[in-house]
Amino acid sequence: QAGGAGGEGGGAPADPWRFTPTIDGSSAEWPSDAHFTTSASTDAFIGWDDVNLFIALSHPDVATGGSQHWLLAYVGNGGAGSTTGVPHGSQQPTLPFSASFLIRWKLDNSYSSLETWNGSSWTATSPLFGSGGAVLAENGNGVELAVPLATLAVNDDLEVLVTLVYEGAGFESTYAATPLGTITDGDFDPDYSEYWAFDRQSPLGPAGYTPSP
């Protein structure tokens, strides 16, 4: 169920936006105010409730991609982090915000991790999904995941950038990103230029925001 209900009679504040999907790999139940178009003209969804961050993505590589295809979601909480991303092959981007965490999943489901910025380097905890309340499900071209906000040290401020990366030698690329203008789709080792900065106490749905900076 999605949305923040406003009060009547001029004055009652609207409830913060919230949405809780069933994690089954299908984005069919997601509301339009959580829908984004990626740089590859495919669909992505970002949402949250009081417990979890939710991300869904649709792309043919979800169904067919191998161990060199990655889903990446950089997450910030308004606090300290890094503007240097995690290397994948010879791609290591500059980030447009200070990310504290990176959610990683190989599209063949052979590996997942949570990368945490410890002040000087990225450290990995693996597996991410199936432990600590983090869950993931695939359904054809779709993937859907939930990661506890407490794991990501997120309170009200939430910063997110989602993308796919291919690290195969000679064909490395970054693609299917949201915000869609953060990269030129399919480029090798691009530096991201935009991200989403959400206020979890606002009634505004995620798709109502303008990309930052």
Side-chain angles (χ1 to χ4, degrees), residues 10-191:
D15 294 334
W17 186 92
R18 296 288 186 268
F19 171 68
T20 306
T22 301
I23 304 301
D24 57 8
S26 171
S27 59
E29 68 187 298
W30 282 73
S32 60
D33 61 358
H35 171 257
F36 301 90
T37 300
T38 74
S39 58
S41 299
T42 53
D43 297 317
F45 299 83
I46 302 170
W48 55 83
D49 59 15
D50 289 327
V51 178
N52 292 305
L53 167 66
F54 303 105
I55 294 171
L57 187 75
S58 178
H59 192 280
D61 285 352
V62 172
T64 62
S67 61
Q68 294 178 309
H69 292 84
W70 295 85
L71 168 63
L72 307 179
Y74 284 96
V75 178
N77 51 30
S82 176
T83 56
T84 299
V86 173
H88 290 84
S90 56
Q91 300 183 89
Q92 185 174 23
T94 297
L95 307 175
F97 67 101
S98 293
S100 303
F101 299 94
L102 170 61
I103 298 164
R104 300 201 303 169
W105 175 67
K106 284 189 175 185
L107 271 58
D108 68 349
N109 204 29
S110 64
Y111 181 84
S112 68
S113 72
L114 181 68
E115 304 290 320
T116 302
W117 180 253
N118 66 10
S120 59
S121 63
W122 291 100
T123 61
T125 301
S126 178
L128 169 59
F129 299 108
S131 63
V135 294
L136 179 145
E138 295 178 74
N139 186 338
N141 291 344
V143 60
E144 201 172 17
L145 62 89
V147 178
L149 295 168
T151 299
L152 304 169
V154 167
N155 188 9
D156 294 339
D157 295 323
L158 173 62
E159 300 157 329
V160 181
L161 189 157
V162 181
T163 193
L164 296 179
V165 165
Y166 179 61
E167 62 177 357
F171 298 95
E172 293 176 279
S173 59
T174 300
Y175 62 107
T178 182
L180 65 85
T182 193
I183 60 167
T184 298
D185 197 72
D187 274 5
F188 164 73
D189 196 26
D191 293 329

